[in-house]
Amino acid sequence: MHKKIHLLASAFVALSTVMGFPSAQAQTKPILIGQTYVQTGPLASLSPEPLLGIRAMFAAVNANGGINGRPVELRQLDDAYDPAKGAENVKTFVKDGAIGVLMPIGTSSSIGAIKAANELKVPIVGPYTGSGPVVKPTEYGFPVRISFDEEYNRIVNHLFTIGLSRIAFAHNDNPGARSALESTQKFIAERGEKMAGSVAIKNDGSDAAERAAELAKLKPKAVVLAATNEVAAKFITAYRATGNETAFYSFSFLNGQKLFQDIKKDAAGVVISQVVPYPWNSAMPVIAEYQAAMKKIGATEFGYASLEGYVAAKVMVEGLKRAGANPTPESLQKGLESFKTLDLGGIAVSYRPGEHRGLTFSELSMLKADGRYLR
């Protein structure tokens, strides 16, 4: 499945300038949106699934006549998880006429992108991170997901509620994951305890077994993760091999389906924070819409990450609909801020002048022995 997603997402990158455009719109000037994302490097695995959801949304919009008769064109550039390159890409998009930036992938990319977007006064919607520097209120930043702080606070609150207060932390050695560690330490301290310990794992996972053995010696009752799928899979497998029993909790970037494919029974019982609803619940209008759009582009596997990409793109589209027949960065900003609280089909996003709240949604899901989720 993962390989298929990679192929679909790669095709999307290559064909993004023409995707889904009806022939009748061929002579209509498109509305240009930019996206800087991680295509290369050790964190490239973050990108394919959210990109797939974005593709599904824009293909559906363009197939239905675009926005005010104009197709949406998504132009993409690789930043290799480098904040300076992310900023440079945003400047390139704006120079080329982009009126908005959508979902930079990952913390470092988003930090660079949001800095440039605020300098150039162009709205940036739905960064694929909840890191503090990215979700901090700015005039042109429009986060969609809840912050990492909120995710980890809810995880820690749950652990204390069920009586697990000896908590350790394992994370990728990068800025976004380190900020998650600091947040979790703070939330544990607020409840009168100290974190049992933490380990930083190389982004390629090459020292995961060593770090797992190190943390297992501390005998925590719960290990909270801020790690990519590859790193989490290696770490959890190595930790289970030590024979120490612990509960694993992860923030939302962990793809449970992929984790189960990689490590099978070792994935059972892992609890993952989710920042968008259950992607298989077609009774919710936004999920039914997402599933139909995914099927139309040939994507038959649903998941949380592609749903988040779809929702972020939907937020951008709703802003564009309110931005007038000839949208500009300024009118897009005003369009987004006109939402107040907008129902997207079962979940609501809140933006108003001076307060860009986004969603408040989250829930915990547990992987079962067959790889499906228990909510």
Side-chain angles (χ1 to χ4, degrees):
M1 181 195 81
H2 198 56
K3 185 176 180 184
K4 181 167 73 174
I5 288 173
H6 265 287
L7 290 171
L8 282 164
S10 298
F12 171 42
V13 172
L15 301 174
S16 64
T17 57
V18 294
M19 68 176 191
F21 292 2
S23 57
Q25 292 182 342
Q27 303 305 314
T28 305
K29 185 179 179 183
I31 299 169
L32 183 61
I33 300 297
Q35 184 186 27
T36 179
Y37 78 108
V38 190
Q39 187 183 13
T40 55
L43 298 179
S45 62
L46 287 175
S47 297
E49 289 188 73
L51 263 59
L52 201 57
I54 291 169
R55 179 188 169 200
M57 180 68 212
F58 284 151
V61 166
N62 288 335
N64 287 320
I67 297 171
N68 297 318
R70 293 174 62 183
V72 180
E73 175 185 332
L74 183 66
R75 193 163 297 174
Q76 297 169 302
L77 289 170
D78 177 26
D79 56 46
Y81 204 64
D82 178 344
K85 185 63 178 167
E88 184 184 318
N89 288 347
V90 168
K91 290 172 184 174
T92 299
F93 297 140
V94 174
K95 183 180 172 186
D96 290 346
I99 65 161
V101 177
L102 178 66
M103 199 177 236
I105 304 287
T107 296
S108 290
S109 306
S110 297
I111 286 171
I114 206 161
K115 184 174 185 294
N118 279 293
E119 286 171 2
L120 297 168
K121 300 185 175 181
V122 59
I124 181 165
V125 173
Y128 193 55
T129 174
S131 178
V134 177
V135 299
K136 138 182 117 175
T138 63
E139 198 173 356
Y140 291 89
F142 290 85
V144 173
R145 59 159 45 224
I146 65 168
S147 69
F148 287 163
D149 269 15
E150 289 177 274
E151 279 197 72
Y152 284 109
N153 192 18
R154 293 176 191 190
I155 289 173
V156 170
N157 186 58
H158 170 78
L159 288 171
F160 272 78
T161 299
I162 63 173
L164 300 182
S165 59
R166 185 167 175 77
I167 302 166
F169 202 93
H171 63 95
N172 272 56
D173 194 4
N174 65 50
R178 280 192 295 275
S179 76
L181 163 67
E182 290 160 8
S183 294
T184 306
Q185 285 173 322
K186 179 183 74 174
F187 296 133
I188 293 170
E190 284 173 359
R191 290 163 175 82
E193 296 284 348
K194 285 183 73 173
M195 184 177 279
S198 67
V199 290
I201 308 160
K202 290 178 182 175
N203 286 324
D204 62 2
S206 57
D207 62 344
E210 193 180 338
R211 299 285 81 80
E214 182 183 327
L215 205 62
K217 288 175 184 173
L218 302 176
K219 300 191 181 307
K221 295 297 184 184
V223 173
V224 180
L225 300 165
T228 56
N229 261 79
E230 290 79 0
V231 168
K234 290 175 182 176
F235 179 84
I236 291 169
T237 300
Y239 194 100
R240 298 238 196 254
T242 68
N244 283 277
E245 290 292 324
T246 191
F248 288 102
Y249 282 73
S250 173
F251 76 150
S252 51
F253 277 5
L254 192 66
N255 180 333
Q257 297 152 284
K258 175 72 167 59
L259 186 70
F260 176 76
Q261 287 172 11
D262 290 344
I263 63 175
K264 297 296 188 260
K265 63 179 174 53
D266 280 341
V270 173
V271 177
I272 304 171
S273 164
Q274 307 295 356
V275 297
V276 289
Y278 190 65
W280 299 271
N281 177 20
S282 56
M284 185 179 284
V286 71
I287 305 298
E289 182 189 299
Y290 151 79
Q291 290 182 355
M294 289 282 281
K295 287 173 184 173
K296 280 183 180 173
I297 63 166
T300 56
E301 300 283 354
F302 307 136
Y304 286 100
S306 59
L307 176 59
E308 186 175 346
Y310 183 87
V311 168
K314 185 175 176 67
V315 169
M316 176 67 84
V317 165
E318 294 297 332
L320 290 171
K321 286 177 180 176
R322 291 160 172 74
N326 294 296
T328 63
E330 183 183 12
S331 70
L332 174 58
Q333 181 202 30
K334 285 183 166 51
L336 289 161
E337 289 183 338
S338 74
F339 285 6
K340 306 301 187 234
T341 298
L342 179 68
D343 183 1
L344 298 174
I347 49 173
V349 62
S350 298
Y351 300 136
R352 47 182 48 82
E355 186 186 352
H356 301 168
R357 181 69 183 87
L359 300 174
T360 59
F361 180 90
S362 79
E363 65 181 13
L364 295 178
S365 61
M366 179 186 284
L367 281 170
K368 298 195 293 183
D370 62 1
R372 291 185 297 172
Y373 290 99
L374 178 68
R375 295 155 63 220

